[in-house]
Amino acid sequence: MEPARPSLRQNLRSLPPAAWVLFGGTFVNRLGTFVMPFIVLYLTGKGFSVPQAGLALAMYGIGGVAAQFLGGWLADRIGRKNAIGFSMLGASVITLLLWQASSLPMIYALMLLLALVAEMHRPAASALIADLVPSEQRVAAFAVFRLAINVGWACGLTLGGLLADRSFSYLFIGDAASSAAFGVISLIALPHGTRTSRQEERHLTGATRSIVTDRGFLLFLGAILIGASIYMQNVATFPLHVQEAGYSTSVYGALQALNGIIVVLLELPITSWTGRRSRTRMVALGTLLVGLAFATLVVAKSIPALAVMVLIWTLGEIISSPVASAFVADRSPEHTRGRYQASLGVMFALGAIVGPTLGTLAYDFSPDLLWISCGVAGVLAAALALAAGRHPAPVLEVDTSPT
């Protein structure tokens, strides 16, 4: 007889206090993420052109990719708490420096450095969840983590808009303060998590070797990259579709808000179902739904049809995202959790580059071709995720020879 499934309340109440501290610190940090959403308006208001402001955002994206590698390595070497604290306190200082920068080369350099430092905390935070929470509760834990990010981001956008109406200086000060607060919370209230020195790792399998010899994990990363590239159409080409359907930008904004509302209302209840099922099958289902959702834009033109499309895409996101993080946590050796989580972050970062680039090119040639391609890509991503589930993690040898 199958054991009774734990309720959502039981899953949440069984999470350790340190996990709730991490979720609370994450919410504070995201609530104060004021600079990035308004950086284009800030730079153009200072007299820079739109392409120049766009290049500043691109510099942040480049730094964000590099931050995943560095953040994962630091998380495994100096501990999760120290990596988060260093990242957030460093981001606070760089944000204030960016506030004072006036020349374009300095702004570009600080944007790159800000991303490199600020985004380093992400692999460490995910690795700490893996350290603190047993496998059967990880989907719920990562869902709460995502909820803290999404709710903080949504509230922060509203608050940031109010502050920007008064002065952009408040944005930089508030962003720096929230980053510093998360850094202090981390250093005071979070545990170190797993730390492994380079000397200790000589007797273990290194992260790079562990990843490249795990065929199932590589297939999984391929599925995530394709899925992320599809997902990024929501900010790259979906607004163009809404506009060409004859609707204003406020309609697009309302559809994006609908995505956030659905996430807040349904993500935690749905994890009670997804958390009990195969990780790779849930990732396959989620990426398939995201791909099919965008494929419906071949015919979805009315507002009700677009709302249904957003519902399908959001359900796919809810089903796959927390489970994907839990799969990585389950798959990674304890001493390489930071770098495994970093590999997941790199796929999302690359998807943010590949998706808009290929998507806008395809849309310019033929919108219908793009939407059909999204559906095909969703099927391919689902197939890769299912194939990943058929490859168990390889048994890694431990070097017992004396040093």
Side-chain angles (χ1 to χ4, degrees):
M1 181 178 179
E2 182 181 350
R5 298 177 183 175
S7 66
L8 175 62
R9 179 177 296 182
Q10 289 172 326
N11 274 329
L12 298 181
R13 292 179 67 178
S14 62
L15 293 176
W20 289 105
V21 172
L22 176 62
F23 302 151
T26 299
F27 174 79
V28 169
N29 179 50
R30 295 299 285 184
L31 179 66
T33 304
F34 299 139
V35 172
M36 283 308 104
F38 297 94
I39 193 66
V40 171
L41 294 177
Y42 169 73
L43 292 176
T44 53
K46 289 178 71 69
F48 296 108
S49 68
V50 172
Q52 288 172 330
L55 184 55
L57 277 178
M59 298 301 291
Y60 191 91
I62 294 170
V65 174
Q68 296 297 322
F69 294 103
L70 182 57
W73 182 83
L74 280 177
D76 289 334
R77 283 287 182 266
I78 67 175
R80 326 308 192 197
K81 139 184 186 172
N82 290 336
I84 295 172
F86 172 76
S87 171
M88 290 294 95
L89 293 176
S92 177
V93 172
I94 298 169
T95 299
L96 295 177
L97 292 175
L98 180 63
W99 175 34
Q100 298 300 315
S102 57
S103 70
L104 199 57
M106 182 59 69
I107 290 171
Y108 288 161
L110 287 173
M111 287 287 286
L112 180 68
L113 184 60
L114 178 60
L116 183 63
V117 175
E119 299 296 324
M120 284 194 310
H121 81 281
R122 294 183 183 274
S126 296
L128 184 58
I129 293 173
D131 291 342
L132 296 172
V133 180
S135 177
E136 62 273 13
Q137 296 171 358
R138 283 174 180 161
V139 173
F142 280 110
V144 178
F145 184 54
R146 269 176 40 88
L147 190 63
I149 292 172
N150 288 326
V151 174
W153 175 261
C155 295
L157 282 176
T158 303
L159 181 57
L162 295 174
L163 293 175
D165 285 340
R166 289 160 175 80
S167 172
F168 278 102
S169 296
Y170 293 141
L171 297 182
F172 288 91
I173 296 170
D175 202 323
S178 67
S179 296
F182 187 21
V184 172
I185 289 171
S186 300
L187 294 175
I188 292 176
L190 290 179
H192 280 291
T194 302
R195 290 181 289 181
T196 308
S197 68
R198 183 181 297 275
Q199 183 176 0
E200 291 171 329
E201 194 166 299
R202 289 175 183 170
H203 299 284
L204 303 167
T205 302
T208 302
R209 180 185 170 194
S210 178
I211 290 173
V212 300
T213 58
D214 188 345
R215 181 177 299 178
F217 190 69
L218 294 176
L219 290 169
F220 168 81
L221 291 180
I224 295 299
L225 175 58
I226 295 172
S229 299
I230 302 169
Y231 180 85
M232 287 305 298
Q233 301 313 311
N234 87 87
V235 294
T237 53
F238 182 49
L240 299 176
H241 176 83
V242 173
Q243 184 181 57
E244 291 198 2
Y247 303 113
S248 67
T249 54
S250 62
V251 172
Y252 169 69
L255 291 169
Q256 289 284 18
L258 177 62
N259 166 261
I261 292 169
I262 296 170
V263 168
V264 170
L265 293 179
L266 297 184
E267 180 145 19
L268 290 181
I270 286 177
T271 59
S272 295
W273 180 73
T274 59
R276 298 280 299 181
R277 283 160 175 80
S278 162
R279 309 284 204 230
T280 50
R281 289 181 181 178
M282 291 300 97
V283 170
L285 175 60
T287 53
L288 179 62
L289 287 175
V290 171
L292 293 180
F294 282 96
T296 66
L297 293 179
V298 171
V299 295
K301 310 290 184 182
S302 67
I303 290 180
L306 293 172
V308 171
M309 174 269 175
V310 172
L311 173 62
I312 298 171
W313 139 41
T314 308
L315 288 175
E317 174 190 356
I318 290 172
I319 289 170
S320 62
S321 292
V323 173
S325 297
F327 174 84
V328 175
D330 293 345
R331 195 83 169 194
S332 56
E334 185 178 9
H335 66 287
T336 62
R337 281 175 177 161
R339 283 162 287 179
Y340 265 71
Q341 291 292 341
S343 68
L344 178 64
V346 168
M347 293 303 104
F348 284 113
L350 290 176
I353 297 172
V354 173
T357 301
L358 296 183
T360 50
L361 287 173
Y363 189 91
D364 187 58
F365 179 77
S366 169
D368 286 351
L369 174 63
L370 170 63
W371 307 134
I372 293 171
S373 298
C374 285
V376 173
V379 173
L380 176 59
L384 290 176
L386 292 175
R390 294 193 289 269
H391 293 273
V395 178
L396 301 176
E397 297 179 359
V398 177
D399 181 10
T400 58
S401 61
T403 56

